[in-house]
Amino acid sequence: LKQAIGVNMWQTPWAQNYINYIAYFLPPGTPSGLFGDDAENKYATVWPTQARIYSGNNPSPLANWYTKNLTIGLRDQLSHLLAPQQDMSIVPTTLPSGTPHGIHIPSIGWVAMHSDLGNPLRTSVYFKSSPYGSYNHSHADQNSFVIHAGGKSLAIDSGYYDGYGSPHWKGWYKATRAHNAITFDGGQGQMYETVAAKGKITQFEHTSEYDLVTGDAVMAYGGALTKAVRSMVYLRPNTLVVFDSLESDTPRTWEWNIHALEQMKTFAGSTRHFEINQAGVRLCVRMFVAPDDNVALSQTDQFTAAPQGTHPNQWHGRFSSLVKSTTARFVTVLEVGCSWIPVKMETIGDSHYMTVLGNTLIFDGDTVTVK
């Protein structure tokens, strides 16, 4: 197109900004992709190939750093051979000075929050509340999150892409219960295979000390809920606080889901604590506020519809309320490394106050403030 009619597609906003997406959501050292079909896989040659093509046509300090820090791609592909060639030997391996460690891409409703984008052993927290709904390759996973740390997948999007439209794809993989998200009444969740299952990020703040994000997923539940707000505060480097506020005209049991590659460790006498351990990298989960102050903790390695082929088991954890209600609040702390940091929790009126790591987090059900 460029040579024939003078239209340079590399100058479109999409092509110019795509490097921001892959640098923040597929950073060097990431163990997998994110959010949607085939997200569980890592494409160690495809991603570097794309990076070299995009950085060759739209070079920038971030694009060049990203390309430099990936392994060798598929150099024999025509698209690679036609891209402008670069001398990567002169590109620094360190992240460009002043590069933020977090990003919000409003057009797709994705947020990435990293302890240090330049460190392949970083802690990374990803959040999605997207205007594109659950259509086609997208899943019914609005207001869901994923956590990677030390090059390992800790809180995962579960399931396997065993085929477009397969029984597993329809019965588990795309459903809300397969993700780190809110379900109700025995695994019911968001609408899927429709653009109408929208989410919306209503708040984002990035600082050197913390990031915060709020997503509204009420539209995704198709009228079953009247409120579905999740706020998350990521306190660098290793602590995440998750606030959920839920409402329904119909009394429901409420479920807070999380998934892992290995069986989760539970603690005798507690239904509010458990630990995920992936090859020595640990994630501890503590629930401080739950509906009616009473929840059951359960886990299973079974899918509601098994994938085709041979795949390793995955584990699916769930905090479930024991009494039906029209409103629910969850406040949960997730800590990479399991240092069991001190947390002070107080509820005044309709607001929750948490003191952690020298910060006071104030959650009123719709937004979160950090002091």
Side-chain angles (χ1 to χ4, degrees):
L1 288 173
K2 179 181 178 181
Q3 298 299 327
I5 61 174
V7 176
N8 185 358
M9 299 299 290
W10 289 106
Q11 296 307 309
T12 62
W14 193 97
Q16 289 181 320
N17 288 285
Y18 180 65
I19 197 69
N20 292 327
Y21 167 77
I22 58 177
Y24 278 90
F25 293 95
L26 301 172
T30 189
S32 72
L34 294 166
F35 303 129
D37 284 354
D38 220 20
E40 68 272 16
N41 287 316
K42 179 176 182 176
Y43 290 95
T45 54
V46 175
W47 298 343
T49 301
Q50 288 192 355
R52 285 187 176 273
I53 296 166
Y54 278 89
S55 64
N57 284 279
N58 286 322
S60 70
L62 179 63
N64 295 343
W65 164 82
Y66 182 70
T67 303
K68 173 82 171 187
N69 282 274
L70 295 181
T71 55
I72 301 300
L74 303 173
R75 292 178 175 271
D76 59 344
Q77 289 205 343
L78 180 62
S79 53
H80 184 277
L81 297 173
L82 292 177
Q85 299 302 298
Q86 298 170 282
D87 182 4
M88 299 305 296
S89 67
I90 63 174
V91 175
T93 58
T94 55
L95 188 69
S97 178
T99 301
H101 297 293
I103 192 173
H104 169 213
I105 303 184
S107 60
I108 60 172
W110 289 28
V111 167
M113 303 175 283
H114 302 285
S115 59
D116 181 353
L117 181 59
N119 185 347
L121 298 179
R122 70 186 74 78
T123 293
S124 300
V125 178
Y126 304 99
F127 180 77
K128 174 190 173 185
S129 199
S130 171
Y132 286 102
S134 57
Y135 182 66
N136 198 19
H137 292 298
S138 293
H139 291 186
D141 57 356
Q142 310 301 349
N143 279 10
S144 71
F145 63 87
V146 168
I147 300 176
H148 296 160
K152 305 298 180 183
S153 296
L154 298 179
I156 68 167
D157 277 333
S158 71
Y160 296 98
Y161 189 35
D162 63 342
Y164 190 87
S166 74
H168 177 70
W169 186 86
K170 292 180 178 180
W172 178 269
Y173 193 53
K174 278 186 69 98
T176 311
R177 59 179 170 266
H179 304 281
N180 304 315
I182 296 295
T183 56
F184 56 89
D185 293 346
Q188 296 185 51
Q190 301 166 16
M191 302 181 295
Y192 66 91
E193 200 54 23
T194 173
V195 177
K198 298 178 184 292
K200 182 180 180 181
I201 292 178
T202 59
Q203 180 184 19
F204 176 72
E205 183 179 342
H206 170 71
T207 75
S208 60
E209 302 294 328
Y210 68 87
D211 291 343
L212 68 85
V213 60
T214 298
D216 187 341
V218 69
M219 289 183 63
Y221 289 92
L225 305 185
T226 55
K227 176 182 276 192
V229 174
R230 168 169 279 179
S231 293
M232 305 201 314
V233 180
Y234 170 51
L235 301 166
R236 290 183 171 83
N238 290 325
T239 303
L240 175 68
V241 185
V242 182
F243 301 90
D244 289 290
S245 182
L246 308 157
E247 294 181 6
S248 170
D249 290 335
T250 303
R252 303 191 182 279
T253 54
W254 304 94
E255 299 146 2
W256 195 98
N257 298 279
I258 193 166
H259 305 269
L261 296 173
E262 304 288 346
Q263 185 174 7
M264 305 171 203
K265 176 183 176 182
T266 57
F267 298 87
S270 174
T271 60
R272 295 199 181 198
H273 304 77
F274 66 87
E275 176 186 317
I276 294 171
N277 189 323
Q278 182 61 30
V281 183
R282 301 162 65 201
L283 175 69
C284 283
V285 180
R286 290 183 280 172
M287 181 159 287
F288 285 87
V289 173
D292 297 317
D293 287 329
N294 209 352
V295 291
L297 173 59
S298 62
Q299 65 173 313
T300 177
D301 64 348
Q302 299 298 302
F303 299 108
T304 52
Q308 302 175 66
T310 302
H311 301 280
N313 284 8
Q314 297 175 342
W315 288 84
H316 320 293
R318 174 178 289 175
F319 290 110
S320 304
S321 63
L322 300 178
V323 178
K324 289 191 174 186
S325 62
T326 57
T327 64
R329 294 277 180 91
F330 293 99
V331 180
T332 314
V333 174
L334 300 91
E335 185 186 3
V336 174
C338 297
S339 297
W340 300 99
I341 56 174
V343 176
K344 179 182 178 182
M345 193 76 213
E346 186 177 13
T347 300
I348 303 177
D350 199 40
S351 297
H352 302 287
Y353 296 77
M354 175 179 284
T355 303
V356 54
L357 295 174
N359 303 279
T360 298
L361 316 183
I362 306 169
F363 178 61
D364 64 8
D366 294 306
T367 59
V368 62
T369 305
V370 179
K371 294 185 177 180

